[in-house]
Amino acid sequence: MDLIFTNAKKVDQGVLSSHSFDLSYGAEENDFELTLGANETALESGASIYIEGTEYGGTVDGLMAVTNGETITYKGRTWHGILNSKVIQPDTGEDYLVVSGDASEVLSFLVARLGLSGLFLAANELSGVNIPGHRFPRYCKGYDGIRAMLAAYGAKLKIAWQNRSVVLSAEPIADYTKSPVDGDIATLTVERHDKKVNHLICLGKGNLAAREVIHLYVDQFGRIGDVQYYFGLDEICDTYDYADSDDLRSDGIAKLTELRNIDKAEIVLSQAESQTYDIGDIVGATEYKSGISVAEKVTQKIVKINNGVVSTEYKTGG
């Protein structure tokens, strides 16, 4: 597995032999560190680092060197990070940017719109993922916006360096919950709250006795309504102060839903010998002492490549 480097003009210069290449991408960090031995060729700012046919790569943005040190460390953005350093903007005079078509066509449009056509391109083949009309949030980051768009239609973003270009494509999200990960390669952390807010007093416009007040309740099935179900020790009450609300009931339901959405589960996976995952894929695992089984989307991928040997860690969140 050759780690190839280019100059600032993206022309191949050679293969790096003595290196430690650490990458992270997904919902949070989208960057890399590349540590080279003292005898390796110095890299130019703006150089690309890549492994052909994979998403492992990025562009050099800076370095860290120590006098008389035996190594030099370069830092930069992964391809994912480059996408996230761009902003998807609406046209002048428009409220939102709306796109539609096959995902490959939409990705091609977005690559050009983000000013990345010199290095990025979309797959030539139609993906089969139809986007009937997606409205991007105003001024969202490129990578985040593209992933959210594809996820809304059951798809994920694939990135790979191919023939001197970063190729973007879309594929259906893979669901691996029917084959849960083995406990030997997974660490499952579960946080479950059995007692949550089930009575929310919403305070809207007005003052004192004239103030708008709405009571919202949660029943035994988790439904939000106007009839109280829990009393005494089982009632957990809170207030929501929103004096500027134009629709206090709707805003209150959204707030109560947020207050109840506090259960958490995280799966950390080391690299399985026969299986790799993409950001957005769904994996499952069971915490055997509590008996809780969870299914979560892969949100972060951490890759370490030491002299061609790859190890991978996956994280989920929700």
Side-chain angles (χ1 to χ4, degrees):
M1 184 175 284
D2 291 336
L3 183 60
I4 301 170
F5 71 100
T6 75
N7 58 19
K9 295 182 178 180
K10 311 304 181 186
V11 178
D12 288 352
Q13 299 297 297
V15 177
L16 298 169
S17 57
S18 176
H19 63 266
S20 175
F21 192 27
D22 295 353
L23 311 93
S24 180
Y25 44 88
E28 298 177 356
E29 299 173 351
N30 287 285
D31 52 23
F32 72 81
E33 287 191 358
L34 172 66
T35 301
L36 301 179
N39 296 326
E40 289 287 351
T41 304
L43 303 182
E44 298 179 7
S45 179
S48 289
I49 311 297
Y50 69 88
I51 296 175
E52 183 71 29
T54 76
E55 61 185 333
Y56 307 149
T59 187
V60 174
D61 292 328
L63 59 82
M64 180 174 62
V66 180
T67 303
N68 298 325
E70 297 182 356
T71 63
I72 182 170
T73 298
Y74 296 89
K75 299 185 177 184
R77 291 162 292 163
T78 61
W79 310 131
H80 321 68
I82 293 174
L83 285 174
N84 234 23
S85 65
K86 299 291 186 177
V87 174
I88 299 175
Q89 308 175 49
D91 291 326
T92 302
E94 297 293 329
D95 293 333
Y96 300 97
L97 175 66
V98 180
V99 296
S100 61
D102 184 87
S104 293
E105 298 170 333
V106 172
L107 289 173
S108 180
F109 166 78
L110 291 172
V111 165
R113 189 178 182 90
L114 295 175
L116 293 173
S117 298
L119 182 61
F120 286 68
L121 57 85
N124 291 325
E125 304 81 10
L126 295 179
S127 67
V129 176
N130 181 49
I131 299 174
H134 179 78
R135 188 179 76 177
F136 286 102
R138 288 173 59 82
Y139 302 100
C140 65
K141 291 184 177 182
Y143 180 56
D144 294 341
I146 290 172
R147 286 197 304 115
M149 174 192 70
L150 293 176
Y153 301 99
K156 61 187 177 184
L157 178 65
K158 296 281 289 185
I159 300 178
W161 180 282
Q162 296 176 353
N163 299 322
R164 301 187 181 183
S165 294
V166 182
V167 180
L168 307 183
S169 59
E171 292 183 4
I173 290 173
D175 187 342
Y176 296 99
T177 54
K178 291 184 178 179
S179 301
V181 293
D182 190 277
D184 292 338
I185 63 169
T187 299
L188 174 59
T189 302
V190 176
E191 182 179 331
R192 188 183 73 186
H193 298 263
D194 296 325
K195 299 295 183 181
K196 305 173 184 178
V197 174
N198 51 48
H199 176 190
L200 187 64
I201 304 173
C202 307
L203 309 174
K205 295 180 179 180
N207 295 305
L208 301 176
R211 189 166 193 186
E212 181 184 13
V213 179
I214 294 176
H215 292 258
L216 295 174
Y217 303 97
V218 178
D219 67 14
Q220 70 272 38
F221 302 111
R223 299 174 300 197
I224 297 175
D226 302 311
V227 179
Q228 186 170 0
Y229 178 82
Y230 294 100
F231 296 89
L233 291 177
D234 292 329
E235 179 194 14
I236 299 177
C237 188
D238 203 347
T239 59
Y240 179 43
D241 192 330
Y242 193 6
D244 295 328
S245 176
D246 293 321
D247 188 345
L248 186 59
R249 181 178 178 82
S250 177
D251 291 333
I253 289 174
K255 182 62 177 180
L256 182 51
T257 301
E258 175 189 331
L259 291 173
R260 292 182 58 79
N261 189 25
I262 56 177
D263 291 339
K264 298 178 181 179
E266 181 183 69
I267 306 170
V268 178
L269 306 170
S270 59
Q271 176 66 62
E273 290 295 329
S274 59
Q275 185 63 64
T276 59
Y277 305 98
D278 295 315
I279 301 296
D281 284 343
I282 303 171
V283 297
T286 299
E287 201 292 300
Y288 293 104
K289 289 186 178 179
S290 66
I292 297 175
S293 295
V294 299
E296 291 287 345
K297 284 189 175 183
V298 175
T299 57
Q300 199 73 24
K301 190 171 180 177
I302 301 167
V303 181
K304 298 181 183 295
I305 305 173
N306 288 298
N307 300 325
V309 179
V310 181
S311 61
T312 310
E313 181 178 281
Y314 303 90
K315 292 185 178 181
T316 71

